Amino acid sequence: MLSSPPPQAKADTAKNPATDEAALDPDAMRQPLPDAFYCVGRADTLKPGSLRAVELNGEQIVLGRDKAGAAFAMRDRCPHRGMALSKGRFDGDAVTCPFHGWRFGTDGRCRDVPTLSSADAADFTRITVQRFPIRESAGFVWVNPYLGPPGGDLPPLPELGFEAAGSLVVELVVEASFDLTTLSLVDPGHVAFVHDSWWFRPSKELREKVKTFTPTPHGFTMSSHATTTSSPVYKLLGGVPEVEIEFRLPGVRLERIEAGLKRVANYTFATPLTHNRTMLTNALYWNMPVLNLLKPLARPLMRQFLTQDQQVLQHAQAGLDRKPTMVLFGQSDLPSQWYFRLKREALQAAREARSFRNPLVQQELRWRS
C-alpha cells in the first residue's frame, strides 16, 4: 500500500521547482512539471496574422503566426500598463498594444513607442516581452511555460507516424488538478465503471487482463497485443487489430492501433490551465478515407467518453480537496505510482543538470477490468 502525494497544486508558482533546493519536497511534486511542452490547441486554428490567448499553468500567453507561417508564444501582457496583447492588432510582423500603441516584434522586443517625442532619448528597444518555446507536432501547438534556461532532455513531442486521411479533435475543461487528470490516462481500473457504454464496452463482465509494460523515453508502453474482445470500434478495422498504448511525461497518452495497412491513433493530452483546472484534448486520426463518413457519429461519442472522465474527476477532486491523500493499491494502480516516480526523476534530473534516467523496469501486470 502506498500513500502518494496529493494531486493538487498550489496557486503560488514563484519558486522554480527544477532548480530550487526544495525541488523534491511535496509542494514541487504537486506542481505540473515546469520544463515541458504542453498542448495548447490545434495548429490549423492558428492562422497567419491572428492572435489567440491561452492559459497555461496560470500563465497568460498570446499565440500567433507570422507572415512566413512561423508560430510564436509570448506573455500576454504589455510591460507598459499590463494590457493583454491578445486584444491588440497583429499585422503578421508585430503586435500592437491597443492601450498606447506600443509595438512588439514576434521576438518579444519593443519596436516602437509612438507617444515618445523626438526629444525623448529613451531606448525602448531594451524593453521586451517574455517569449516561450513553441513547437508544432501531430497537428497541435505545444508551448513550454518554463521561465528558466531551456532544458536539453525534455519528453519528446507526440508524432503521428502515418499520413492521416481524417481526424477528430474534442477538447474539454476538467475542474480538477493536473495530476489527478493525468492519472486517469494510466488507470486501467476505472474503465469498466466510468466508461460503461454500449458502443465502447458491450460486455459487462470483468475479465482478467495480463499485459507487459516496458520503459520507454520519459514513460512506459503497454506492449503491442492482439485484441479480439474489446470495443466494437476496433472491428471497423477488420481482422485482429494490434494495440499499443504509451504514456509519457508530462501528461500524454498515445494509443496506436494497426490492422494490416490500416492505422488508427487515439491520442490524449492533459494541459494544466490553473492549479485546479485541466484541459483534456482527445485526437483521433485514421488513414482510411471511408471512415470520414462516420465523423458525425464519432464526435458526440468521443465527447460522451471525455465527459464521463470529466464528471468523475471533478467529484474526485472535491473529495481530495477535503482530504488531500490517495491510497494506491494493487497492480492496477502501479501505473499511477510509476507516474509519480517518473515525475520525481524528471525533477531530480533537472535539479542535478543531468539526463533523465527512467527508473522503471519491464513488468507484467494483472488486473480485472
Side-chain angles (χ1 to χ4, degrees):
M1 184 179 297
L2 173 69
S3 236
S4 71
Q8 54 185 4
K10 295 181 180 179
D12 181 10
T13 57
K15 289 185 177 182
N16 179 353
T19 58
D20 192 79
E21 282 301 308
L24 299 184
D25 68 12
D27 183 65
M29 281 294 290
R30 293 186 186 102
Q31 308 285 345
L33 286 179
D35 193 7
F37 281 91
Y38 295 93
C39 176
V40 293
R42 290 166 50 191
D44 61 5
T45 63
L46 194 60
K47 305 297 184 183
S50 65
L51 298 173
R52 185 205 302 166
V54 298
E55 189 170 29
L56 180 54
N57 203 22
E59 184 72 67
Q60 305 297 321
I61 296 174
V62 58
L63 308 177
R65 191 182 297 279
D66 65 20
K67 294 176 181 177
F72 65 91
M74 299 190 299
R75 176 172 283 141
D76 195 10
R77 181 185 182 278
C78 180
H80 181 211
R81 301 286 177 91
M83 182 66 191
L85 292 174
S86 59
K87 302 295 184 182
R89 300 186 307 276
F90 178 51
D91 60 7
D93 182 54
V95 178
T96 301
C97 176
F99 202 171
H100 295 88
W102 289 29
R103 285 172 53 81
F104 298 89
T106 59
D107 60 356
R109 190 169 299 279
C110 185
R111 292 188 178 179
D112 186 28
V113 177
T115 54
L116 292 180
S117 73
S118 57
D120 200 324
D123 182 10
F124 55 77
T125 63
R126 300 176 62 183
I127 302 172
T128 60
V129 177
Q130 174 72 46
R131 276 176 50 93
F132 299 96
I134 186 169
R135 303 284 187 273
E136 295 185 57
S137 186
F140 288 90
V141 176
W142 305 78
V143 171
N144 185 341
Y146 188 49
L147 298 179
D153 187 27
L154 302 183
L157 294 181
E159 296 181 351
L160 193 51
F162 64 87
E163 185 175 351
S167 65
L168 267 177
V169 177
V170 174
E171 299 172 321
L172 206 61
V173 174
V174 182
E175 301 293 335
S177 71
F178 176 76
D179 274 348
L180 180 61
T181 304
T182 299
L183 289 183
S184 70
L185 305 183
V186 299
D187 171 26
H190 81 284
V191 176
F193 304 96
V194 175
H195 302 300
D196 189 13
S197 304
W198 66 267
W199 57 273
F200 179 75
R201 193 174 177 276
S203 173
K204 308 306 178 186
E205 178 185 352
L206 293 179
R207 294 185 174 89
E208 185 91 359
K209 302 292 179 65
V210 183
K211 307 293 183 185
T212 299
F213 291 79
T214 303
T216 46
H218 293 85
F220 53 88
T221 294
M222 186 174 73
S223 300
S224 180
H225 60 281
T227 176
T228 57
T229 60
S230 297
S231 165
V233 174
Y234 292 154
K235 296 179 180 179
L236 292 173
L237 300 180
V240 181
E242 292 283 328
V243 181
E244 179 184 84
I245 300 176
E246 177 190 356
F247 172 81
R248 68 177 67 158
L249 294 174
V252 171
R253 181 185 186 273
L254 307 173
E255 181 176 2
R256 307 177 184 95
I257 308 166
E258 299 184 5
L261 297 177
K262 298 175 182 177
R263 300 286 186 273
V264 172
N266 185 28
Y267 288 0
T268 308
F269 317 125
T271 303
L273 304 180
T274 64
H275 73 287
N276 253 20
R277 295 180 73 239
T278 305
M279 175 72 79
L280 265 182
T281 302
N282 188 209
L284 189 66
Y285 315 81
W286 54 86
N287 69 348
M288 297 151 285
V290 68
L291 292 187
N292 290 330
L293 300 174
L294 299 179
K295 289 176 70 170
L297 173 63
R299 186 180 298 278
L301 295 182
M302 286 176 61
R303 182 164 291 277
Q304 178 192 16
F305 191 91
L306 275 194
T307 300
Q308 291 169 341
D309 279 319
Q310 176 197 47
Q311 293 174 345
V312 73
L313 288 169
Q314 290 177 167
H315 288 305
Q317 183 64 60
L320 288 168
D321 287 343
R322 293 189 294 271
K323 185 175 176 59
T325 57
M326 294 185 299
V327 176
L328 301 180
F329 183 79
Q331 293 191 25
S332 67
D333 274 344
L334 278 178
S336 296
Q337 297 183 37
W338 295 344
Y339 165 69
F340 287 113
R341 290 183 64 189
L342 291 165
K343 186 177 180 181
R344 179 175 291 276
E345 164 59 18
L347 289 170
Q348 186 74 47
R351 184 185 184 189
E352 298 173 2
R354 60 168 173 80
S355 297
F356 178 91
R357 295 193 290 261
N358 195 320
L360 307 180
V361 296
Q362 182 171 304
Q363 189 169 350
E364 182 180 271
L365 298 187
R366 294 173 178 267
W367 70 89
R368 299 182 69 210
S369 180

